[in-house]
Amino acid sequence: MRKSLFISTIVMVYLIVSGCSYNSVKKIKADYFDIGLGQSLYSGYNKVEQETVQSLVDAYNQIEYIGQTNQQINYEKAITITFIYNDQISGTLVIDDKGVFHLSDSVENFQIEPNNDIYEQAKNIYNDLKQQY
């Protein structure tokens, strides 16, 4: 009896710890996106290839974060991405160059895992789209 209680306690502690250490975003889909940096905003509608849209959606869906942070987003360097699916907003991401980000479905700021390159990818897409305008 004690042995099974001990094992079940170990399993519960493991599940609680491992469940709390893994933070990820709610998965989204998108047909296109709008993207901005600072005060400028560009629409990707009919200007961005579907592979690019899917690549950015995949990067969004793979976001894992360390946890909530008290750091403020540097809006001068922040990229804002609004994902649109079936003419409705499916998700919004605001992320700065330090990896501090905010999602449309939360009020807190989070710190992205250091191995995620969504900011660099989004900045390259933003620069490509900016040249088209």
Side-chain angles (χ1 to χ4, degrees):
M1 174 87 171
R2 283 184 161 184
K3 186 176 180 180
S4 63
L5 180 62
F6 177 74
I7 291 173
S8 63
T9 303
I10 296 284
V11 170
M12 284 179 33
V13 168
Y14 172 76
L15 291 174
I16 290 170
V17 170
S18 66
C20 293
S21 66
Y22 178 74
N23 297 304
S24 62
V25 298
K26 185 178 112 186
K27 307 299 184 219
I28 62 164
K29 294 181 182 181
D31 299 319
Y32 68 97
F33 56 83
D34 295 336
I35 189 166
L37 176 65
Q39 298 287 327
S40 61
L41 180 68
Y42 298 103
S43 175
Y45 184 71
N46 289 334
K47 293 192 175 18
V48 178
E49 294 179 12
Q50 193 58 41
E51 294 86 26
T52 303
V53 173
Q54 191 57 50
S55 173
L56 199 55
V57 168
D58 290 345
Y60 176 94
N61 286 338
Q62 294 171 9
I63 289 176
E64 293 181 5
Y65 50 92
I66 298 168
Q68 194 173 337
T69 182
N70 292 329
Q71 292 184 37
Q72 296 299 311
I73 294 175
N74 180 351
Y75 285 99
E76 291 180 12
K77 295 185 179 183
I79 293 180
T80 301
I81 308 166
T82 304
F83 295 93
I84 292 95
Y85 182 68
N86 288 334
D87 294 326
Q88 295 184 8
I89 295 174
S90 61
T92 303
L93 170 69
V94 179
I95 185 167
D96 71 9
D97 60 330
K98 302 292 186 202
V100 178
F101 71 96
H102 176 79
L103 301 170
S104 59
D105 61 352
S106 68
V107 293
E108 300 91 10
N109 289 342
F110 298 95
Q111 181 67 49
I112 200 163
E113 287 285 345
N115 62 347
N116 192 298
D117 67 345
I118 192 168
Y119 180 84
E120 291 81 15
Q121 182 181 0
K123 190 165 183 184
N124 289 336
I125 292 169
Y126 168 83
N127 288 331
D128 290 345
L129 193 56
K130 182 179 175 181
Q131 289 178 356
Q132 291 183 31
Y133 276 89

